[in-house]
């Protein structure tokens, strides 16, 4: 028993007595050079929008979009205030109606807003019927509405879809007696605000300014236009003999929109001691600048999508916005979105919206193919690449938007704006200017990028709105 107890102790002592025969790895690392990566950035995205948007140099800092004179047809989006179950239109938003556009008298708009009556409709219930007297202006506060006409041979044809913020019947304000040329039917539970023609007339009788404004816009709307709302150019074709030829001219917008370059800026600070002593194997100032530029480019793409002045979501024409037909984006929705313009180069969507579209295709047994974009296999629908853009917002209700666009000046599409040749330019449209060294030995650089975007004609961009991205059973 005693021998067995001492045996392990002797073996342990003998093991400790053995000398180290080589240099340990822990000690060896003190003499080794560590291989390092450049600083990595988790917030960096693919930024497909910046990569595929054609960029136009703007030497003067502003870009003027000249267009043919056109008249706005169709209704704009309006906003509502909600107090419990009661809904009221924001008075200033009534200026989005076609015959009130540009009217800015807050007292009169407030009086009109008070005249709207809230109405509720169940799914499938008819709001207005084709052929009946048109004597109301309707604002869709919540829900989805289909505009329906008889099909050519049998059944019904959906000619339009309306959702939150849309309106119809705005031309009733012109005063002429007319009839509805479509049937409006609620698809979901729908809340609308209705303004009777008689209520509008009571307000207009008290405001000469309102009557004059509506009459002027109504007269302009009666001018001959093409299907795009542009002033018609008269021609005579296939004629014989010597008829008198019509005279014409191409009218331009009197006040074309001018877009000034926006800016994103920051001040990069680097201590001189860091810049002097810790520049091997990587230059500290260069790495700081590289990461700052990445962050600025991310912000630039976000602004190009969401900026209320020049952002693409806010600059899509109202006639180029359609709601999803069934919540999640379906192949039918994307077909409708693509068919709204003469050519579509790219579709941009949040990755979750792309996944939701894929699920809808799977349910129907459809497979959307892929195309090669800059060496990447990108999913595509009808040959149009669907590029991810995480800057497109997802609302708290788990809905998002899908953007389709035609790009390039030569295609009368969407273009990016920047100015090149800046002092101390690092990348096109981005510069880093030395600001000096303060009394704390800190070096400062002003890093700036200048940019904007322009939609040359309204049909260059379209938006599929209110698509559900939540997982569906």
């Amino acid at each position: 028993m005693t021998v067995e107890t001492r045996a392990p102790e002797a073996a342990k002592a003998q093991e400790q007595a053995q000398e180290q025969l080589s240099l340990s790895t822990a000690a060896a690392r003190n003499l080794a050079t560590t291989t390092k990566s450049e600083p990595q950035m988790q917030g960096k995205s693919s930024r497909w929008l910046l990569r595929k948007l054609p960029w136009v140099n703007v030497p003067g800092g502003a870009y003027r979009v000249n267009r043919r004179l056109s008249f706005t047809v169709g209704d704009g989006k309006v906003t509502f205030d909600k107090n419990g179950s009661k809904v009221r239109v924001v008075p200033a938003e009534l200026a989005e109606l076609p015959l009130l556009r540009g009217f800015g008298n807050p007292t009169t708009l407030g009086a009109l807003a008070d005249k709207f009556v809230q109405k509720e409709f169940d799914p499938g219930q008819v709001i207005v019927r084709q052929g009946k007297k048109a004597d109301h202006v309707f604002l869709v506060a919540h829900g989805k509405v289909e505009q329906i006409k008889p099909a050519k041979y049998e059944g019904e044809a959906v000619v339009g879809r309306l959702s939150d913020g849309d309106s119809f019947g705005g031309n009733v304000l012109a005063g002429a007696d007319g009839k509805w040329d479509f049937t409006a039917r609620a698809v979901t539970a729908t809340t609308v605000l209705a303004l009777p023609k008689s209520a509008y007339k009571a307000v207009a009788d008290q405001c000469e300014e309102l009557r004059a404004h509506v009459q002027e816009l109504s007269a302009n709307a009666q001018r001959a236009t093409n299907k795009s709302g542009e002033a018609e150019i008269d021609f005579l074709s296939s004629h014989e003999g010597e008829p008198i030829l019509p005279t014409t001219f191409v009218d331009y917008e009197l006040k074309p929109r001018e877009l000034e370059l926006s800016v994103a800026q920051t001040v990069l600070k680097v201590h001189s001691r860091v810049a002097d002593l810790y520049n091997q194997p990587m230059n500290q100032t260069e790495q700081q600048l590289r990461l700052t530029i990445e962050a600025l480019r991310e912000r630039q793409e976000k602004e190009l999508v969401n900026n209320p002045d020049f952002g693409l979501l806010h600059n899509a024409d109202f006639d180029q916005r359609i709601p999803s037909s069934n919540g999640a984006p379906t192949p039918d929705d994307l077909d409708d979105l693509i068919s709204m313009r003469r050519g579509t180069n790219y579709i941009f969507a949040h990755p979750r919206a792309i996944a939701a579209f894929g699920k809808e295709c799977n349910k129907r047994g459809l497979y959307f193919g892929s195309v090669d974009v800059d060496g990447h296999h990108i999913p595509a629908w009808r040959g149009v690449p669907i590029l991810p853009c995480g800057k497109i917002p997802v609302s708290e209700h788990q809905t998002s938007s899908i953007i389709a666009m035609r790009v390039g000046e030569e295609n009368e599409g969407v273009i990016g704006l920047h100015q090149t040749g800046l002092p101390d330019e690092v990348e096109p449209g981005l510069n880093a200017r030395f600001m000096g060294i303060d009394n704390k030995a800190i070096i400062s650089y002003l890093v700036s990028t200048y940019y904007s975007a322009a939609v040359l004609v309204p049909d260059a961009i379209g938006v599929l709105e209110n698509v559900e991205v939540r997982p569906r059973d």
Side-chain angles (χ1 to χ4, degrees), residues 55-320:
W55 290 91
V56 175
N57 185 30
V58 183
Y63 187 93
R64 178 181 297 164
V65 181
N66 286 314
R67 293 177 178 174
R68 284 182 56 188
L69 180 64
S70 62
F71 306 102
T72 303
V73 292
D75 301 338
K77 294 279 186 179
V78 293
T79 306
F80 304 88
D81 283 330
K82 193 172 187 299
N83 184 10
S85 60
K86 300 296 183 182
V87 178
R88 183 177 187 268
V89 62
V90 176
E93 291 292 311
L94 290 176
E96 295 294 343
L97 295 177
L99 294 183
L100 294 180
R101 191 152 295 159
F103 184 75
N105 187 319
T107 302
T108 303
L109 291 178
L112 283 176
D114 292 335
K115 297 291 186 180
F116 278 87
V117 179
Q118 182 174 338
K119 296 184 178 183
E120 307 288 340
F121 293 89
D122 295 325
Q125 191 172 357
V126 172
I127 302 173
V128 301
R129 192 174 296 279
Q130 185 176 7
K132 297 295 184 179
K133 184 178 180 181
D135 56 359
H136 281 73
V137 179
F138 289 94
L139 311 179
V140 182
H142 180 69
K144 292 184 180 180
V145 176
E146 288 182 337
Q147 294 173 304
I148 302 167
K149 290 185 177 181
K152 182 175 182 180
Y153 297 107
E154 60 181 11
E156 297 175 334
V158 178
V159 296
R161 294 187 178 93
L162 307 174
S163 61
D164 301 8
D166 287 325
S167 59
F168 60 96
N171 292 328
V172 168
L173 305 182
D177 294 330
K179 296 182 179 181
W180 295 112
D181 60 354
F182 59 85
T183 295
R185 184 171 62 199
V187 179
T188 64
T190 302
T191 300
V192 302
L193 297 183
L195 175 68
K197 183 178 178 181
S198 58
Y200 162 75
K201 189 174 183 301
V203 176
D205 288 343
Q206 304 297 321
C207 182
E208 174 63 29
E209 181 186 4
L210 176 60
R211 295 199 302 273
H213 182 89
V214 171
Q215 289 173 1
E216 179 183 358
L217 292 189
S218 178
N220 286 337
Q222 294 173 4
R223 290 180 59 183
T225 61
N226 60 23
K227 65 179 181 180
S228 300
E230 297 171 332
E232 190 66 84
I233 299 177
D234 293 329
F235 295 99
L236 187 64
S237 59
S238 301
H239 53 278
E240 297 180 358
E242 300 177 348
I244 298 176
L245 298 180
T247 61
T248 190
F249 66 96
V250 181
D251 208 354
Y252 303 133
E253 289 184 349
L254 296 179
K255 296 181 179 179
R257 186 179 182 189
E258 289 191 357
L259 293 154
E260 295 184 356
L261 295 183
S262 182
V263 61
Q265 292 179 309
T266 188
V267 177
L268 173 63
K269 294 180 177 292
V270 182
H271 200 285
S272 59
R273 182 172 55 214
V274 172
D276 291 342
L277 301 180
Y278 301 99
N279 275 339
Q280 295 296 332
M282 300 177 193
N283 186 291
Q284 292 282 357
T285 303
E286 289 181 359
Q287 293 301 321
Q288 289 284 303
L289 181 59
R290 180 180 67 83
L291 295 174
T292 301
I293 290 174
E294 293 285 358
L296 279 176
R297 291 303 192 195
E298 293 291 330
R299 182 56 179 266
Q300 177 181 352
E301 186 175 63
K302 182 178 180 179
E303 290 290 305
L304 288 174
V305 173
N306 299 290
N307 187 283
D309 182 36
F310 58 83
L312 299 180
L313 282 177
H314 295 272
N315 279 273
D317 193 80
F318 293 124
D319 289 339
Q320 296 295 321

Side-chain angles (χ1 to χ4, degrees), residues 388-459:
C389 181
K391 310 305 187 301
I392 299 175
V394 175
S395 73
E396 60 181 4
H397 302 295
Q398 302 302 299
T399 60
S400 185
S401 299
I402 296 177
I403 303 173
M405 67 175 70
R406 182 178 66 251
V407 299
E409 277 190 306
E410 67 283 357
N411 293 326
E412 296 182 315
V414 181
I415 58 174
L417 307 175
H418 67 179
Q419 185 178 131
T420 58
L422 299 171
D424 303 312
E425 191 170 59
V426 179
E427 295 180 359
L430 186 148
N431 63 352
R433 308 196 72 176
F434 177 67
M435 297 177 62
I437 305 175
D438 63 16
N439 56 8
K440 295 182 180 179
I442 295 178
I443 308 171
S444 298
Y445 297 89
L446 176 62
V447 188
S448 310
T449 180
Y450 301 91
Y451 56 89
S452 188
V455 180
L456 299 186
V457 295
D459 82 332

